Each structure stands twice: as structure tokens, then as C-alpha cells.
Amino acid sequence: MGPSGSGKSTLLNVLAGYSTSGSSGSVYLNDALRDEKQMANISCYIQQDDFVRELLTVRESMTVAAHLKLPTTMSTLSKVSLVDGILESLGLAIHENTIVTRLSGGQKKRLSIALELITNPSILFLDEPTTGLDSLSCSQLVSMMVDLAHNQNRTIVCTLHQPTALLFEKFDQVYVVTSGQCLYQGPPHLIIPYFAERTIVCPPYHNPADFLIEVAIGEYGTTGLKKLIDSAPKYIYTNDQHHCHKISDTYQKNNSTDEKSSINIKQVNRPPSYLQIYHLYLRNIIMYKRNKLNLQLRIIAHLLIGLIFGYLYRDVGDDASTILSNMVFIYGTNLFLVYTGQMAVIVSFPLEYKVLKREHFNGWFTLFPYMISILLVEIPFQILCCLVYIIPSYVLTGQPMELMRFSYFTIFLVVTSLTSQSTGFLCGAGLPVKISVFIGPVFVVLLSVFGFAIRLRDTPTIYIWVHYFSFVRSSYQSLVYSLYGFDRNVLPCKDEMYCHYKNPTKFLSEMEFDQVHMNFEFLYICSVFLCTYVLTTTVIWYRLNKR
């Protein structure tokens, strides 16, 4: 406990190992120096805000967590029994089919705790669990915490601001912090006599918790506050009713279907990566199905723009007099799919970063399966969006109906869009949202200039490297070559007596596209795709493990 800014959450973060930057000293588990790996296996950290997957139901959330956190040696029936027992004990069984976003604040808090009880942690760290809850929800939550501590042998460490007197009495021990210093440590019922011995008397009928905060902020005098801090008891309180046992680090599996014993199951080994990928992928599929509007809008937008572009540039692909217009169509098509690929995902990581950090810190999964599960959903959907745009626009603009040319055209557009998507993930993972939504599009515009707005021979020497670095340029030149290269026949000239670019070879030569190496450009774009995802994974790993 302590007033705002006293260091409660900072202390809790250090104890839990969630954030240790700027701190010094040692943390002991029982009588030995804390081992971070051991601590991660026997503890969990539940933050003040309930960062949970809001598009899942309560049971779906629990089931996915059970499959991710429990060993494969445990049968599916045992996992179901475990989930049932936890939901029943926390009063969530009647809400098991409710979408998380429709739960009340108290129910979300209980779900956050239930998700971590699956591995039967010995220690639970909770940061201000009662914040934002009404009196009834607070009472139910604290009563549940008392039951977990006294009847299920768990150590619960939580920060509180100013609980009511009834809630305050339910705690076994209170540690009061003021300006980063310990003001009092001991049982709640000894607070009033302890301070009375030091000539600080609590007013009659006053909430002892409020009294503590008032003392901590200096309302009873600041001169004696330092003496109180220096003389604060530095011992762990025990009494005859609730003894402080050593924190358990044993890992025994209990396959009993009894409700009380089924909760006491420890994780032996994390499931292998391919199973993590499978369960994370299924979870993503469920969430995508429940977010149909976003998916429908993306598909409809690609279809409409494809039809509009196809109408505006109709029949420009098979006419020498409109070859420059077709060049603009190809550029616009390339840029459109690059933008949509990037902007559709640029905020996806920032939106779920806090949920991801909670799950990763509490040992739900490793980062590689998480990234693969995301890509297994996003990549096929982005390919579908590309095809929805490409097919009608390609037909309406009168491009050559040759399988080879259409295949090259489609493959380069798809791989370029996916590469742009990877840059969107990277921007979202490495930059603040307000900066990423600006830097990402500006970066794409810069890359798109080369090869279209300026030829290589006209490019200043200091920008030559950007010309070769631009994957948008590689894609654009390859798209033009796929339509006009490979010894395409002389084009018809419908509107004029003379067409300068009647021979496609002349057009490619003047545009400096005649020396395009399709295979090399394809491999280069794919290498940018892979390197960007490796960099994205590295950035996310650094942010998640930064303590």
C-alpha cells in the first residue's frame, strides 16, 4: 500500500521480474537468491488493466491457455476438467460462453486470474486488482484471493491504493510504502496500536487504510516521518492461524477429476513449437471470424478499386497509342497493393502489444510460434485481397491473355504486397503508432519514385543505392517487363497513324527496362521479405524481454 507515486507498482514489477531497469539490490525466494527461470515457472503477473483477447469467449480463452501452457502428456479430458474446475471456483462457469468484451470489470479481472491459475502458480502478483471495480466486485475479488491464499496454498502479492476497512482486514500482511521507503510492515490489526505507541493516534471510527495513507503523505507531521521509516518493522508476520510456509517449487501432475485437486496441476514442459503454432493459429482464426467487418471492408475495397482502375484504364494494355497510360496503370496498381499491404497491419502489433507482453511474460508461448501463427492468417488473406484486385483490373484493362504473362504479373504483385506487409509489421513493432503511420507511407513513396519518376541515368550519384535498394522499383520494372518483354509481338495502333512505341522492345529500351532480370528481382524481393520479418521478430523479442 501507499499513496500515488510512492513506488508500489515499481516494487511489484521488480519482485515479479517484470521490469527491473533503474533498480538495484537482490530478490530472494525463500532463503535463496531468486533464479529468474525458476521464478517464471512458479509465478505469474497480472497487471492493473485486464489485457485479454476480447473476441474470444471465456471458455475459448481458457481452453487455448490450457493447450498452450499445459504439457502434451496431459489428456484433453483432464484439461477440460481443469478448466471446468477453475471456472467453477472463480464463479465464471455461468459466463463460459460470453464474449470477453461483454464481461464486467470484475469478471474480466477474475478471468485474468483464471487464465494464470491453469499452471497452478505458487505466487500471484497483482497490480491494483480492485481499481475500477464497484464495492461488490471488490469484495468478491478479495474474497476469492483469500480463498486462493488460505485454502489453495498460494502466495498472493498485490498493490492496493485505499481499500475499505472490511477489505483491509482480510489481508494477512500489509507493506506500506512512502517515497520508496517502508513505513510499516505487519498485520493490519496491529497498525493502530503500532502508531499509537509512536504518538500518532488514529481518529475513532476511522478506516485504518485511510489512516495509513494520511500518515504516509505527512498529514500527521513530516518531521517524524523519517523516524517512522527508520523504525519500521522489517520482519515477516505469522500467527497461529495462518503460518507462512515456504513457496513450493515442486512440479507434480495430478490427473484427478476432483474439482479442488484438479486445480493443483503444475506445468512440466511447454508444448512443442508446432503445437503452439497450431493452437495460436486456431485462436487467430476464431478472432478473425468474429471481426468480419474488417475483413469484408478490405476485400470490398480491393474489388471496388480494381473495378474503378479497370474502367479508367480500360483496353490500354493492347494498344501502342496508350502504352504510357498502361505504364501509369501498372505503377498505380503496384503502389496501391503496396500501400494496402502495409497499412492494413501497421497498427496490428501496437494494438495487441500489451496482451502479447502479458502472455509472453507468463510463459504461454515462445515468440517464433506466435509470429508464424500471425503470418499463417495474414499472408493468405493478403494474397486473396491481391487476387480480388488483380483479376478484374487485368481483364478490364485489356492486358495480354497469356498464362505466362498473367502469372508473372500476379506473382510479382503478390510478393511485393507481402513484402510491403512485412514493412508494416516492422514499423508497428519498432516505432510508436503516431510515428509508424507516418514513416511507413513516406518510406514507400520514396522507394516508388525510383524506376518510374526518374530513370537510372538521371539519378544523382548519392541516390544510386536507393534505386537498387528499392523493392518497389524491382517489382515495377518486372511488372512492365512481364507485359512487354519476352519478345512480345508488335502492338496494334488504333487511334493514330503513327505510334512511337508500336514495337515493345523500343519502349523497354527507352524506359531502361530491357535489361530486367526477372529471376534476380524476384529473389531480391523475397530476400527483403525474409530479412524484414527476421528484423521484426528481433525487435519484438527485444521489446518483450526488455526488463
Side-chain angles (χ1 to χ4, degrees):
M1 278 187 59
S4 298
S6 60
K8 304 187 299 297
S9 295
T10 302
L11 175 59
L12 190 72
N13 289 340
V14 171
L15 293 177
Y18 186 77
S19 176
T20 58
S21 60
S23 63
S24 61
S26 302
V27 178
Y28 284 80
L29 183 64
N30 293 331
D31 298 322
L33 192 64
R34 177 185 64 183
D35 178 80
E36 291 188 2
K37 182 175 290 188
Q38 181 194 35
M39 190 68 172
N41 286 333
I42 66 172
S43 68
C44 67
Y45 183 51
I46 301 168
Q47 297 167 270
Q48 178 177 344
D49 296 318
D50 302 307
F51 301 122
V52 289
R53 305 282 175 176
E54 296 193 339
L55 292 177
L56 300 177
T57 65
V58 171
R59 175 164 289 278
E60 288 168 349
S61 301
M62 292 291 291
T63 302
V64 171
H67 285 303
L68 289 172
K69 301 175 75 174
L70 295 174
T72 54
T73 53
M74 186 175 178
S75 66
T76 301
L77 186 61
S78 298
K79 293 177 182 178
V80 172
S81 176
L82 170 65
V83 169
D84 289 339
I86 294 176
L87 292 179
E88 187 67 34
S89 64
L90 299 189
L92 290 171
I94 59 175
H95 305 292
E96 63 178 3
N97 295 319
T98 303
I99 302 292
V100 172
T101 189
R102 297 175 184 171
L103 296 177
S104 67
Q107 291 165 349
K108 283 186 180 179
K109 183 65 65 178
R110 278 182 279 162
L111 175 60
S112 298
I113 297 174
L115 290 170
E116 305 306 333
L117 289 181
I118 287 175
T119 51
N120 188 27
S122 298
I123 313 171
L124 278 77
F125 295 98
L126 298 97
D127 188 13
E128 300 203 18
T130 59
T131 299
L133 303 182
D134 57 48
S135 58
L136 177 61
S137 299
C138 285
S139 179
Q140 292 174 341
L141 180 64
V142 174
S143 297
M144 181 198 69
M145 292 162 58
V146 171
D147 178 68
L148 292 173
H150 295 170
N151 301 328
Q152 299 183 28
N153 298 322
R154 306 180 198 275
T155 300
I156 298 182
V157 185
C158 65
T159 59
L160 291 176
H161 189 57
Q162 282 181 280
T164 64
L166 291 176
L167 295 183
F168 188 63
E169 290 176 356
K170 293 184 178 182
F171 287 88
D172 300 315
Q173 179 164 325
V174 59
Y175 186 94
V176 184
V177 183
T178 177
S179 301
Q181 302 290 325
C182 177
L183 181 63
Y184 172 82
Q185 182 179 189
H189 70 271
L190 292 182
I191 288 175
I192 294 177
Y194 172 80
F195 283 101
E197 292 176 359
R198 287 153 180 77
T199 67
I200 300 178
V201 180
C202 177
Y205 311 110
H206 203 58
N207 181 359
D210 293 338
F211 170 68
L212 266 179
I213 298 299
E214 291 166 3
V215 173
I217 63 178
E219 286 195 12
Y220 290 86
T222 57
T223 55
L225 196 57
K226 188 177 186 306
K227 293 182 179 179
L228 288 172
I229 293 173
D230 293 338
S231 63
K234 306 297 189 295
Y235 59 84
I236 301 298
Y237 168 72
T238 61
N239 60 22
D240 295 335
Q241 184 178 2
H242 303 299
H243 295 285
C244 286
H245 303 282
K246 284 193 174 184
I247 294 168
S248 172
D249 59 356
T250 58
Y251 301 94
Q252 296 180 354
K253 184 176 71 172
N254 186 342
N255 286 327
S256 170
T257 57
D258 177 73
E259 175 185 319
K260 203 168 184 180
S261 61
S262 67
I263 296 177
N264 296 317
I265 296 178
K266 287 288 186 180
Q267 179 178 354
V268 179
N269 289 308
R270 182 185 289 119
S273 294
Y274 70 91
L275 283 180
Q276 294 182 42
I277 293 172
Y278 173 73
H279 293 297
L280 289 170
Y281 174 73
L282 291 183
R283 183 178 73 174
N284 290 338
I285 290 295
I286 293 173
M287 292 191 296
Y288 269 69
K289 285 182 178 179
R290 297 220 170 102
N291 192 20
K292 292 180 181 178
L293 181 61
N294 179 45
L295 306 183
Q296 291 170 350
L297 286 176
R298 284 174 65 178
I299 292 177
I300 292 173
H302 281 78
L303 179 59
L304 287 178
I305 298 299
L307 293 174
I308 293 173
F309 272 31
Y311 177 78
L312 292 176
Y313 293 95
R314 60 190 180 276
D315 299 327
V316 298
D318 194 31
D319 190 346
S321 64
T322 57
I323 196 170
L324 293 180
S325 297
N326 196 32
M327 182 180 174
V328 175
F329 163 73
I330 297 170
Y331 175 78
T333 292
N334 194 38
L335 198 59
F336 170 71
L337 292 180
V338 164
Y339 269 123
T340 55
Q342 182 186 78
M343 298 305 295
V345 300
I346 202 167
V347 297
S348 60
F349 177 76
L351 289 177
E352 71 165 38
Y353 170 69
K354 293 181 179 179
V355 183
L356 171 61
K357 188 170 185 179
R358 178 186 67 82
E359 293 176 346
H360 184 267
F361 179 78
N362 289 324
W364 287 40
F365 46 75
T366 53
L367 184 57
F368 178 74
Y370 169 79
M371 291 297 297
I372 296 298
S373 68
I374 292 292
L375 298 185
L376 285 177
V377 176
E378 281 291 347
I379 288 180
F381 187 74
Q382 185 60 29
I383 292 176
L384 174 62
C385 290
C386 290
L387 294 177
V388 167
Y389 169 85
I390 293 169
I391 294 174
S393 62
Y394 189 92
V395 173
L396 291 173
T397 53
Q399 306 300 336
M401 292 299 172
E402 301 175 28
L403 180 60
M404 180 269 293
R405 297 185 188 278
F406 174 76
S407 298
Y408 272 122
F409 190 80
T410 302
I411 289 172
F412 270 94
L413 282 175
V414 168
V415 74
T416 305
S417 181
L418 295 180
T419 304
S420 180
Q421 185 183 66
S422 70
T423 65
F425 277 117
L426 178 59
C427 288
L431 299 170
V433 179
K434 292 182 179 179
I435 296 178
S436 64
V437 296
F438 172 76
I439 292 295
V442 169
F443 175 72
V444 167
V445 169
L446 174 63
L447 297 184
S448 68
V449 167
F450 296 89
F452 175 78
I454 186 171
R455 294 178 297 183
L456 179 60
R457 72 178 72 168
D458 301 322
T459 304
T461 306
I462 60 173
Y463 296 116
I464 292 292
W465 67 272
V466 184
H467 175 92
Y468 289 108
F469 174 76
S470 173
F471 70 92
V472 183
R473 186 271 315 160
S474 296
S475 172
Y476 174 67
Q477 291 184 346
S478 300
L479 291 172
V480 174
Y481 192 85
S482 68
L483 296 180
Y484 293 103
F486 301 110
D487 300 321
R488 185 174 176 179
N489 295 328
V490 175
L491 300 174
C493 185
K494 298 177 182 178
D495 297 336
E496 301 177 14
M497 295 294 295
Y498 169 75
C499 289
H500 186 68
Y501 294 123
K502 196 169 185 178
N503 190 334
T505 305
K506 183 178 182 63
F507 168 72
L508 293 176
S509 177
E510 290 192 10
M511 294 296 117
E512 297 184 353
F513 292 169
D514 54 331
Q515 298 299 321
V516 174
H517 302 285
M518 301 279 283
N519 293 335
F520 174 80
E521 300 294 359
F522 178 77
L523 291 175
Y524 174 69
I525 297 172
C526 289
S527 67
V528 174
F529 170 85
L530 293 175
C531 291
T532 306
Y533 273 118
V534 170
L535 186 57
T536 301
T537 305
T538 304
V539 170
I540 295 176
W541 179 88
Y542 174 76
R543 291 186 61 182
L544 292 179
N545 291 277
K546 185 180 179 181
R547 298 286 179 261

